[in-house]
Each structure stands twice: as structure tokens, then as C-alpha cells.
Amino acid sequence: MIRFEDLLRPTLAGLYCPPGDFYVDPVQPVDRAVITHGHSDHARSGHGAVLATPQTLAIMAERYGEDFAVRQQPVAYGETASHNGVEVTLVPAGHVLGSAQAAIRWKGVTMVVSGDYKRRRDPTCSRFEPVPCDVFISEATFGLPVFTHPPDAEEIGRLVHSLRQFPERAHLVGAYALGKAQRVIRLLREAGWERPIYVHGALERLNRLYEREGVDLGPLSPATGLKPNALGGEVVIAPPSATQDRWARRFADPVLAFASGWMGVRARARQRGVELPLVLSDHADWPELITTFTELRPEEVWITHGREEGLLRWCELNGQKARALRLVGYDDEDEEAAEPGEAA
């Protein structure tokens, strides 16, 4: 019987698979990397070979250039690649477009690295699929019972209501360029908002990529070249950093909104000067985390990053063996560094 640490172990560079000689979401350049999704704290450039879904590879190429790695190995959902006798299967994680869990199998042991994930439906990406496993490696961004995110339709409904209530004011929504911005746009479309949505220039390339991948965002217009006091009654989507910039002053008495799981914490909303906080997260909340652990019932749960103390206590009370890896280099939602091009 092999030890789980023989298959995956934490290192300074990230989770390392000794028999396969590769890392999962390494925080430093390595010879071989499996990348779960395109956010910059998980997907870095400079690796020798990168295995990921075709969508994640396309996102990395868009952000870092076509030569972001020496070699690229696209693996579609459900397909299995093998290296040195270790099998890697990518399974939807429900986080953003192309996001995947890495199911790693060797000598009868299955370990699943979730990357970042959520369980609720997202109209811009494939839904999370649970994978039976011996070890489930989970994030814990919202790993406290206080974090129970409301339904998406309810939050978007608050935005639509505000647009009707204040038709003279522009509504400026802060949303990160990869995943959150496109999700807000699609949710608005599903809520019946058919008018053009105005977007900051930093979002345009990823919006086009999403549309190439079959995500219909509807009519979009650039939020540039506008006269002062523009776009009353319209929606403008921009990276969070841009909402605090001079760029935002051109809009008509803007209602500042921010789409984030952290908007459930009133102090954070006040700190950012957010008038309309929208609790929309691309991470699992507490009920989704607990549902996942209960559904999978793995032999062990490993927690990579986030608020692990609450989950460790829950596991202890429920007879689930668990440990915290305390990996460094991964950011909480909406706390990551500015994305490439955000200041444009």
C-alpha cells in the first residue's frame, strides 16, 4: 500500500507528483505543469510543458503570449493523459471557462486536485462534476459557516431593480476580467437585459475569447470616447481597479457596484465605497464545501489555501480525516494582483 504522499506532496513550488515528475498549479517555473485554470495565481508563464484544457491554454496564450510555455498539451474534459505511469484526467470544476479538477491516478490510488471550484450553475462554464477519490484536495476561500452566498438571480435582480429605480445614473460594476465579468454579463442577459452593455477595454480580449468558445454575451460596446455624464441608465463593466480611476468620472452620477463573494462582508463594501454590493462568487461557499466533502467521503481531505480552520474543525466533528497544506502563492477571490491590461 503506497502512502498518499508518494503520489502528491506539497513543496515550495506547489503540489508535486514524484512518480509523474510534474507539478499542479506551480507557483514557480517548472519543467512540467498541470494547470487547473487560467487565473494568474494558478496559471503562470515560463514552464517547460503545460497540460491543461484547450480553453485554459487559450486563456494563457491570450494573457501571456503564444510562447508562454515551451510545449502545450491540450486535454479535453474526460480525456486521460499518462506520464511515467501516472494518469491525469481533467474534470469540470465550475470555476471559470476551462477550469478543471485534476484527477491523478497511480497504483490504484486516486487523488483529485480541485484547483478553485464552485457547485452552482454558471452559464459561462461547465458545471462541477464530483469524482470518487481517496484524497480530495480542496480550496477554502470561503471556508467559514458565515459564508452562504445568495442565489445568483437574486443578486442580479438587485442590479436590474437599481437600474429601473435610478434611470438617470450609470451603473458601474467592478468585475474581474476572467470569469466574473462574463458571468455578470450572461446573468444580466438571462434576467432580460437586452440593451448594449458597455465594457472597459481591459475586458475586450477575454470577452472575444469567451464568445469564440460559444458563450453568447449579446451586444457589447466599448466604454470609450464618451462625453461627460454619459450612459445614464446603462450598465458598464470594468475591472475593479478601473472603478477607482479617473476613467470612471466620465459617467453620469455612477452607482458603484462590485461583484464578489466578499461583498457579503459589509465592512469590505464600505471600505471600497461600494453602493451596490453584489454577492457573486466563483468559489464554493460553506454549504457547497460541506456538500462536496459529504458527497465524496474520501479517505482524506487536504486543504490547500484559504480559511482552513473552519473546515478542519468540521472534518474533526464529522469523522473526516483532514489536513491543511498551507501552500503559499494563491490569492483569495478579488485579492489577486491586477490582471494584465487592467489599467488600459
Side-chain angles (χ1 to χ4, degrees):
M1 183 66 181
I2 69 168
R3 300 176 305 161
F4 296 138
E5 291 81 1
D6 293 336
L7 179 53
L8 280 176
R9 66 183 60 166
T11 71
L12 291 177
L15 277 172
Y16 177 59
C17 176
D21 191 24
F22 61 80
Y23 292 81
V24 182
D25 291 349
V27 297
Q28 303 170 10
V30 299
D31 288 339
R32 295 185 183 87
V34 173
I35 303 297
T36 62
H37 67 280
H39 278 142
S40 60
D41 56 337
H42 290 253
R44 292 167 165 86
S45 62
H47 304 307
V50 168
L51 181 152
T53 64
Q55 295 88 350
T56 292
L57 292 174
I59 289 166
M60 294 180 73
E62 193 68 55
R63 305 185 105 177
Y64 303 126
E66 294 290 340
D67 59 349
F68 67 87
V70 177
R71 297 182 305 281
Q72 301 177 32
Q73 183 177 356
V75 175
Y77 290 138
E79 292 184 357
T80 297
S82 181
H83 186 71
N84 292 349
V86 177
E87 294 183 344
V88 179
T89 306
L90 299 183
V91 182
H95 181 56
V96 296
L97 179 70
S99 61
Q101 305 169 79
I104 300 170
R105 300 180 176 91
W106 182 62
K107 295 187 175 181
V109 171
T110 300
M111 301 178 72
V112 172
V113 184
S114 67
D116 289 334
Y117 67 102
K118 66 178 180 292
R119 299 296 303 260
R120 65 186 60 196
R121 170 187 173 272
D122 181 336
T124 68
C125 67
S126 298
R127 194 161 188 168
F128 178 95
E129 295 180 10
V131 179
C133 54
D134 300 291
V135 177
F136 182 67
I137 302 173
S138 176
E139 60 147 314
T141 302
F142 292 103
L144 291 173
V146 68
F147 293 117
T148 301
H149 303 321
D152 297 350
E154 181 179 303
E155 294 301 285
I156 289 297
R158 293 174 56 241
L159 174 57
V160 173
H161 176 74
S162 182
L163 283 158
R164 291 170 179 161
Q165 188 176 16
F166 303 108
E168 75 285 358
R169 302 178 68 185
H171 283 62
L172 180 56
V173 183
Y176 274 97
L178 172 57
K180 190 66 65 65
Q182 296 79 23
R183 184 175 167 208
V184 168
I185 293 169
R186 273 304 311 158
L187 289 171
L188 275 167
R189 299 306 186 198
E190 291 184 352
W193 190 261
E194 298 178 349
R195 290 154 65 171
I197 294 174
Y198 293 81
V199 296
H200 187 278
L203 308 182
E204 291 179 0
R205 289 184 303 162
L206 287 172
N207 285 346
R208 288 195 297 268
L209 188 153
Y210 266 68
E211 292 193 309
R212 289 197 301 270
E213 293 293 333
V215 180
D216 182 10
L217 300 178
L220 303 176
S221 296
T224 56
L226 303 171
K227 296 179 180 180
N229 297 314
L231 302 184
E234 305 294 347
V235 179
V236 183
I237 311 286
S241 59
T243 66
Q244 308 295 328
D245 192 67
R246 288 193 311 172
W247 172 85
R249 298 176 190 172
R250 69 191 73 181
F251 304 115
D253 189 18
V255 174
L256 178 58
F258 189 19
S260 166
W262 292 112
M263 288 297 97
V265 181
R266 292 183 181 179
R268 292 215 181 192
R270 287 196 301 268
Q271 188 179 41
R272 289 179 175 266
V274 175
E275 184 175 349
L276 182 61
L278 303 174
V279 186
L280 290 169
S281 174
D282 285 326
H283 296 259
D285 63 4
W286 176 264
E288 291 174 331
L289 292 165
I290 297 312
T291 295
T292 304
F293 295 179
T294 302
E295 181 177 4
L296 294 177
R297 272 294 172 187
E299 190 170 332
E300 293 187 19
V301 168
W302 292 3
I303 302 169
T304 55
H305 59 285
R307 283 142 189 82
E308 66 269 12
E309 293 85 359
L311 287 176
L312 289 174
R313 179 60 175 162
W314 183 91
C315 289
E316 179 184 359
L317 293 174
N318 288 273
Q320 172 67 67
K321 189 175 181 180
R323 59 180 287 200
L325 302 185
R326 295 183 173 85
L327 296 179
V328 298
Y330 303 107
D331 295 306
D332 291 342
E333 181 190 68
D334 303 330
E335 298 297 328
E336 67 177 281
E339 301 291 358
E342 256 198 11

